[in-house]
Amino acid sequence: MSKEDIYYSNQETAWCPGCGNFPLRKALAGALNELGLLPPQVAIFTGIGQAAKMLHYIRVNGFNGLHGRSIPPAIGSRIVNPTLKVLVESGDGCTYGEGGNHFLHNIRRNPDITHLVHNNQIYGLTKGQASPTTGEGMTTKIQTEGINSEPLNPIKLALSLGASFVARGFVGEEDHLRELIKSAIKHRGYALLDILQPCVSFNKVNTYQWYKQRVYKLADNYDDSDYNKALKKANEWGEQIPIGIFYRKEKKIFRDRFSQLDDRPLVEKEINPLGVKPFLLDFK
Amino acid sequence: MDLNILIAGEAGQGLKTIETILGKTLFRMGFQIYTTRDYMSRIRGGHNFVKIRIGKGDITGPAEEIDVLLALNEEAISQHKQDLKEDGIIVLDGQIAREDIYQLINIPARKIANEVNSKALNTVFVGAVLKVLNLKIAEALKVIKEHFTDKKLQEDNMILLKEGFKKADGKFSLPKIEDNDEQLFIDGNSAVALGALAAGVKFFSAYPMSPSTGIMNYLAAKQKEQGIVVEQAEDEIAAINMTLGASYAGVRAMTATSGGGLALMAESVGLAGITETPLVIVDVQRPGPATGLPTRTEQGDLLFSINIAQGEFPLMVISPRDSEDAFYQTFRAFNLADKYQLPVILLSDQFLADSTTNINHYNLNSLKIETSLITDGESVKYEDYKRYQITEDGISPRAYPGQLSGEVVLVDSDEHDENGDIVESASARSNMVDKRMKKLVRIKQELKEPVFFGQEDINYLIIGWGSTYGPILEARKLLMEDGYKIGYLSFTDLWPLPEKRVKKIITPDIKVVVVENNATGQFAQLLKGQLGITSDYRMLKYNGRPFSGREIYQRMKEEVII
């Protein structure tokens, strides 16, 4: 078994002191370590934002792409190489805002990828504008009279679209979070893990304190195969915020739908231009 | 010999089926065929037409004048009668009554079809046209057998073909048939798809958009046999980013779209540029901006393609000249993208995409795969692997994730160091820009110079790019027959722009005419800006329709050679 520090790069981080991304990284490295996944076996795909910088501070394969576009390249890589453990990491703005369309259709595809959303309910890197999950009424420099749209509920949205693994974690519960990440990676299919992660610089409402007073773990006897129960739990937000696996179901994954594929990465398949010879008959 | 059949009707009347059966039959009989499609952006109704030009060895584009007008409705006659030659013939259903000067061949097609199978109505006309051309029906019967998988449909169509043949009169005589066993009959979109398959494309993703969709259709039909993946993406941004992910994982990947889709992909083309991820992007141009004319043709995306995405990075833009070239250029685009780790844009257009013609059989033995990917045998050499290692020629050793034991592959849209990690230092930025731009030195040695037709003592030099190749070639032939000394340069590599041959050919006493399917003379601008070559005349066309050879010939005489 490898040691946790093989996953740490020696890069100086650009995160603020006290940022929720630090415990998140620790939980992620711990999860990879406990699953025995070595750096070359894992690839993380990110968008843009503070969360997306994760792959510079953790040593695995990485594709740091465009804002909101972390999911499509992850799908592309995963489908041509089934031996790769693929994770997507991005923030609430990147996933639920700019990348909303990919989020929807990714759930329909059910690719075997783990999606970690660093949800701090604010746009941190651009210094404090509303994100799709910011609470209604919060004022910012742009939303001067308070946010005028209802916040998006990622858990409910993912459930309603038929996601095969839906969970929420909190960086203040690090051991719990590490276990959730492990479960998400082990899940065969699309796993959404929405992670409550305070932005200490720009979100003065949803602080560590705020979350600690509200967050509670789903009970040990909670049945994560009960879809209606999951939907009910998804509606809980405010005084009581549940964390844990809301729903889990084994379904066909995206790759299963391509009967022509086997367990080998397509890169290992030889290229032979003469292989198209029979196709020329289509044009005779 | 040159005979032009025009089949016109509305969308939903099955023009494509007539085109396919008649075109393939005539091809197999040994004629040179050139078919073009002119259709509206709608599922039913409107006015659509297909042209089938028949010749012997030298047909390289569409013609305007019509010998046989197969009119599937009234509008077909009113729209096209002005192009009918003096001895031209209209083939139509007897139920459409007309009193005018045209030679009419009335075929009671509906009546005949209703007795057998009303769905196979058009085959009656195919039989009639074959008779008008004084040809036999044996080959057409074979084509029908292959075209329809349903036995009943096969038989009905064969009966109706014979009936149509019986009802018409022979009017034209075509010359002796040639042996074209060594030829293929293929459209531009299929040629691109086939070139991609030969190059080993393993992943293709696109969002359906006319007129590029044919590429996805052909690849999807072959994906099982080839063991590759074709995925319809939720939008163009997803399409290009999925292909980038697949390419990052080490396989050859491609996407195809048309102008509006390319506009959506623009930022991601830049991502391919800065991450140095090989990618082939096909832009089947249609008139823009925005939705423009969705099913028509134009060469309007040239300057957009070469300037696509913010910032500066090397990329290549190549525009195939015909279906033969499209296959080889697509194959070559994969090699170039792979070797130099950059995006390559193939600029096709609706005219090329939807035209079907005879071409020489592809020489598969001449194809060689070239790549910059580390081979598994070499992988032991790469300890402390750096994806963006600075090298003399700017090309870094490329590994895919999981290939090197103990090493990871990090690519980044942010400016980065040799490892792929974010850097903001001024010198690191300059070094990385230099590294990427250095690739151009080697790329310039690989550029394909334009093909030149002509002698030393030319008075006029026509310059064209991409799909105008065939029509310009025909125009040149007609002008030469009139005694004019005309040279012709056909460019396919557009960015970077090859400069040797054009500079050598142009002398002060040669008049330079640039022919383009756009409104602003984009290639002429490029020649001026890049090479300082001023064109004496820009012959432009931007009504959404392709040039014909005779049209260029006439415009040369009216606008240029005065």
Side-chain angles (χ1 to χ4, degrees), chain B residues 287-478:
Chain B
T291 311
L293 287 174
T295 58
R296 312 292 179 182
T297 200
E298 200 160 276
Q299 293 181 307
D301 298 348
L302 170 59
L303 294 180
F304 170 55
S305 298
I306 67 174
N307 292 302
I308 195 165
Q310 74 277 25
E312 300 163 299
F313 59 97
L315 85 161
M316 288 191 74
V317 178
I318 301 168
S319 188
R321 53 173 67 94
D322 58 18
S323 295
E324 185 172 347
D325 192 42
F327 172 84
Y328 294 110
Q329 293 286 16
T330 307
F331 185 89
R332 177 173 168 250
F334 276 93
N335 275 349
L336 292 167
D338 202 334
K339 264 162 74 182
Y340 299 107
Q341 305 174 20
L342 45 68
V344 179
I345 298 176
L346 279 170
L347 276 185
S348 177
D349 53 36
Q350 184 266 331
F351 171 48
L352 170 57
D354 289 333
S355 298
T356 312
T357 188
N358 302 47
I359 57 149
N360 294 318
H361 220 283
Y362 297 130
N363 180 1
L364 303 179
N365 292 312
S366 70
L367 305 174
K368 204 175 140 250
I369 303 290
E370 298 173 81
T371 172
S372 64
L373 202 60
I374 294 168
T375 61
D376 289 342
E378 292 171 326
S379 64
V380 284
K381 287 197 303 196
Y382 293 95
E383 269 176 41
D384 189 21
Y385 175 74
K386 291 181 167 65
R387 173 66 189 91
Y388 300 113
Q389 188 191 327
I390 301 218
T391 58
E392 225 163 85
D393 56 7
I395 301 157
S396 312
R398 184 172 149 247
Y400 59 86
Q403 187 181 19
L404 309 175
S405 60
E407 300 296 318
V408 298
V409 183
L410 179 59
V411 304
D412 202 331
S413 64
D414 272 87
E415 192 52 275
H416 43 256
D417 61 15
E418 288 183 276
N419 278 319
D421 281 310
I422 297 179
V423 280
E424 298 200 21
S425 95
S427 63
R429 161 69 178 175
S430 302
N431 289 343
M432 227 9 105
V433 172
D434 289 344
K435 171 197 135 53
R436 291 192 288 267
M437 289 302 179
K438 251 190 254 169
K439 297 176 188 176
L440 289 168
V441 176
R442 267 186 60 194
I443 288 170
K444 280 184 180 156
Q445 295 166 3
E446 290 223 30
L447 293 182
K448 274 193 191 292
E449 290 290 333
V451 175
F452 178 64
F453 300 88
Q455 310 76 28
E456 277 181 10
D457 61 339
I458 53 170
N459 304 121
Y460 297 91
L461 176 69
I462 300 178
I463 296 181
W465 59 276
S467 72
T468 52
Y469 167 73
I472 296 176
L473 208 60
E474 182 178 350
R476 175 175 179 265
K477 202 183 86 189
L478 294 171

Side-chain angles (χ1 to χ4, degrees), chain B residues 170-305:
Chain B
K171 293 284 178 187
F172 294 94
S173 69
L174 298 176
K176 235 184 131 221
I177 286 155
E178 294 172 340
D179 172 24
N180 62 5
D181 278 358
E182 291 308 305
Q183 292 189 321
L184 299 175
F185 186 57
I186 188 168
D187 59 283
N189 272 347
S190 299
V192 167
L194 203 57
L197 289 172
V201 67
K202 302 246 174 73
F203 183 82
F204 177 89
S205 178
Y207 185 85
M209 185 168 184
S210 299
S212 70
T213 316
I215 297 170
M216 179 154 50
N217 289 345
Y218 191 76
L219 289 173
K222 300 297 175 195
Q223 63 174 325
K224 290 237 187 285
E225 229 169 305
Q226 286 291 86
I228 62 169
V229 176
V230 174
E231 172 65 1
Q232 181 180 322
E234 56 269 30
D235 57 33
E236 284 85 352
I237 301 173
I240 188 168
N241 279 285
M242 278 188 208
T243 53
L244 282 172
S247 180
Y248 168 66
V251 306
R252 291 189 157 192
M254 180 169 96
T255 184
T257 186
S258 187
L262 188 67
L264 283 172
M265 290 179 182
E267 187 190 17
S268 309
V269 179
L271 176 65
I274 196 166
T275 57
E276 304 188 45
T277 306
L279 189 63
V280 178
I281 304 139
V282 190
D283 174 24
V284 185
Q285 298 166 98
R286 67 191 215 188
T291 311
L293 287 174
T295 58
R296 312 292 179 182
T297 200
E298 200 160 276
Q299 293 181 307
D301 298 348
L302 170 59
L303 294 180
F304 170 55
S305 298

